Amino acid sequence: MTEFDSQVTTYLVGGAVRDQLLGLTVKDRDYVVVGATPEAMAAQGFLPIGKDFPVFLHPETKDEYALARTERKSGVGYHGFIFNTDTTVTLEDDLLRRDLTINAIAQDQQGKLIDPYGGVEDLKNGLLKHVSPAFAEDPVRVLRVARFMSRFADLGFKIHSETQALMRQLVDAGEIENLVPERVWQEIKNSLNQAKPSAFFLTLRECGALVKLLPEIDCLFGIPQTKRWHPEIDTGLHAMLAIDQAKDLDNDVAYAVMVHDLGKGITPEDVLPSHRGHEAAGLPLVEAVSERLKVPNHYKKLALLVCRWHLHAHTIMELKAASIEKLFTRLQAYRQPQLLEKFVLACEADATGRWGEEFQQYPQADFIRQLFQAAYHVDKKPLFERGYEGEALGQQIRQLRISAIQSKKKELMENL
């Protein structure tokens, strides 16, 4: 690889500079190249990957290098842009098109910061602020701001009032409805394991986007629950508390927690604050959200199981051995033990996502695990030796498992 000529300058930009200034771990390094052409990049050995505009991978580090560019709105949605990557585009021009000031800081090869739009000051003040009015041209930016809030809310970050107004403007103009499901899902997915995932949903709700993108979650706010089991009362608040409890779990588990109580959104008013039957009522809603967002099938499968059976986990100590064995079968735990573990973790996030000290422990989790181990490890060999097969074998194995669960449960209950 040869060197660029003196007319070409490379800068570290975006998240790498921002996170470096915040003292956070830098995961990805993106660069902008000023004064180069696609041909010059190729001649240096860079590998082109951009579809809409020239982006390249460094041949050795695989970091992304994009030609400095400007953009102009040419239609609706986030694909409606015309890009200019002429060699006359300056670094300041490129930074001006970015979403937030904290993402519009560059660093040259000597370590000097270039900050034409006040991003460093906004970082110090914990402010998410748009770079220019062009922010209101791209609906993806509403989702990005919400995702940044899920990441930085715990650091005290707020959204600038004018930026909030531009987000509402995008929603009111219907631009948010032009987002493709895959992009919406990507931002949700990337928010579920951030420091405060609830901030993503609350930010969308504040600007009116949540009711457009996830009406099944938006409608949970204001719906009461029984105070004995939910001191926080509000179903939407419980959903947010549970989502935050799941932030360190696998992404599919966090998604299952996100949608576990959707059935409460359609509980008839005359039976509130009770939500009897909300588990079964929620299944079509989980199915609909999963299909609409095009979430992976294994996410949807786990989410449906958690939605339907989470109350069985909470009441496991009151269930009979036969019911517990049936639950393990319904959860496909004998064939996929890891699925049971994900189910248990989701139920624990639900149970502990409530106000009050009494809800911060969830002994049911280890109770379920130990009962399952007892059932899973029954000795089937004598049954084969006695010639059982087919349906009769299955019935006998089930009886062995029920007996093992019963015995283990008695032991555990005595030690409580």
Side-chain angles (χ1 to χ4, degrees):
M1 213 175 87
T2 57
E3 293 296 320
F4 286 118
D5 63 43
S6 60
Q7 302 302 312
V8 177
T9 317
T10 301
Y11 300 89
L12 182 68
V13 293
V17 180
R18 178 198 67 224
D19 291 351
Q20 188 174 281
L21 292 172
L22 285 171
L24 302 174
T25 301
V26 175
K27 295 180 180 178
D28 299 307
R29 294 180 179 274
D30 295 330
Y31 296 84
V32 65
V33 184
V34 177
T37 64
E39 293 75 21
M41 296 295 287
Q44 296 293 320
F46 284 84
L47 309 172
I49 58 169
K51 293 180 180 177
D52 298 320
F53 44 81
V55 180
F56 301 82
L57 287 183
H58 190 284
E60 295 166 8
T61 66
K62 304 306 178 187
D63 290 331
E64 285 193 10
Y65 286 68
L67 295 187
R69 68 183 187 270
T70 59
E71 57 190 38
R72 179 168 54 84
K73 185 78 167 172
S74 62
V76 297
Y78 68 99
H79 282 309
F81 291 92
I82 295 173
F83 299 98
N84 172 30
T85 58
D86 189 87
T87 55
T88 60
V89 176
T90 67
L91 175 65
E92 289 73 17
D93 292 336
D94 182 273
L95 295 177
L96 181 64
R97 68 168 181 81
R98 294 174 184 265
D99 50 6
L100 301 173
T101 59
I102 65 169
N103 297 326
I105 310 167
Q107 186 178 54
D108 68 17
Q109 293 174 327
Q110 286 71 49
K112 178 186 174 184
L113 294 178
I114 297 90
D115 179 29
Y117 307 111
V120 172
E121 187 67 21
D122 288 339
L123 271 180
K124 291 177 182 175
N125 295 328
L127 203 58
L128 299 183
K129 181 183 178 184
H130 61 286
V131 177
S132 77
F135 177 97
E137 295 178 350
D138 186 355
V140 167
R141 291 178 169 180
V142 173
L143 295 174
R144 281 176 55 81
V145 171
R147 177 161 58 81
F148 283 125
M149 281 300 292
S150 74
R151 189 175 180 199
F152 297 138
D154 270 5
L155 298 179
F157 273 71
K158 306 292 182 188
I159 303 171
H160 192 281
S161 59
E162 292 177 13
T163 306
Q164 188 75 257
L166 291 176
M167 291 167 68
R168 169 66 72 169
Q169 180 181 316
L170 271 164
V171 174
D172 291 345
E175 286 273 1
I176 204 77
E177 292 159 66
N178 292 314
L179 292 172
V180 296
E182 290 85 352
R183 189 55 196 266
V184 176
W185 166 241
Q186 196 62 38
E187 296 295 339
I188 293 172
K189 180 178 183 290
N190 289 341
S191 298
L192 288 175
N193 294 123
Q194 297 292 352
K196 197 171 184 62
S198 62
F200 175 83
F201 300 94
L202 293 174
T203 298
L204 293 182
R205 189 164 193 266
E206 178 69 21
C207 70
L210 190 64
V211 70
K212 304 287 188 183
L213 301 174
L214 286 168
E216 298 87 351
I217 289 180
D218 186 79
C219 74
L220 296 177
F221 290 89
I223 293 179
Q225 301 169 107
T226 305
K227 188 174 182 179
R228 178 186 174 190
W229 303 116
H230 287 278
E232 71 284 352
I233 298 178
D234 189 289
T235 304
L237 177 54
H238 164 59
M240 297 300 101
L241 292 168
I243 284 169
D244 283 345
Q245 286 293 103
K247 67 181 181 180
D248 295 322
L249 304 177
D250 288 347
N251 202 248
D252 55 346
V253 180
Y255 174 71
V257 174
M258 169 187 145
V259 297
H260 81 281
D261 261 353
L262 295 188
K264 291 182 178 179
I266 57 173
T267 299
E269 285 189 26
D270 61 336
V271 301
L272 294 174
S274 171
H275 290 277
R276 187 180 298 277
H278 75 277
E279 316 95 287
L283 293 177
L285 298 175
V286 173
E287 188 87 40
V289 170
S290 300
E291 290 296 320
R292 188 171 74 243
L293 295 178
K294 302 186 188 302
V295 306
N297 283 333
H298 69 279
Y299 278 62
K300 180 174 75 170
K301 177 181 177 180
L302 177 62
L304 289 168
L305 291 174
V306 172
C307 176
R308 181 64 185 89
W309 303 113
H310 63 276
L311 284 194
H312 280 58
H314 300 340
T315 58
I316 196 73
M317 295 170 185
E318 289 84 57
L319 295 182
K320 294 180 179 178
S323 297
I324 295 171
E325 197 284 330
K326 187 178 289 186
L327 174 64
F328 292 154
T329 299
R330 285 166 167 163
L331 294 173
Q332 302 173 37
Y334 298 117
R335 290 190 289 112
Q336 295 178 274
Q338 72 278 10
L339 198 55
L340 177 73
E341 180 60 20
K342 287 176 180 283
F343 170 82
V344 169
L345 291 171
C347 293
E348 184 170 20
D350 166 32
T352 55
R354 310 175 194 216
W355 287 352
E357 284 297 318
E358 68 271 32
F359 294 108
Q360 299 317 300
Q361 302 297 320
Y362 192 64
Q364 291 94 327
D366 280 333
F367 201 88
I368 293 170
R369 292 183 183 110
Q370 292 192 58
L371 293 182
F372 176 68
Q373 288 303 314
Y376 187 66
H377 291 293
V378 295
D379 185 5
K380 308 183 194 73
K381 188 177 178 182
L383 298 178
F384 295 120
E385 291 174 346
R386 289 164 62 186
Y388 283 105
E389 57 184 30
E391 188 176 331
L393 175 63
Q395 290 174 350
Q396 290 298 315
I397 291 174
R398 182 165 189 265
Q399 288 307 313
L400 276 180
R401 288 170 172 166
I402 291 171
S403 296
I405 291 169
Q406 201 161 24
S407 176
K408 190 63 177 180
K409 186 185 175 191
K410 184 172 182 292
E411 174 195 325
L412 293 173
M413 294 298 286
E414 287 172 353
N415 292 327
L416 281 179

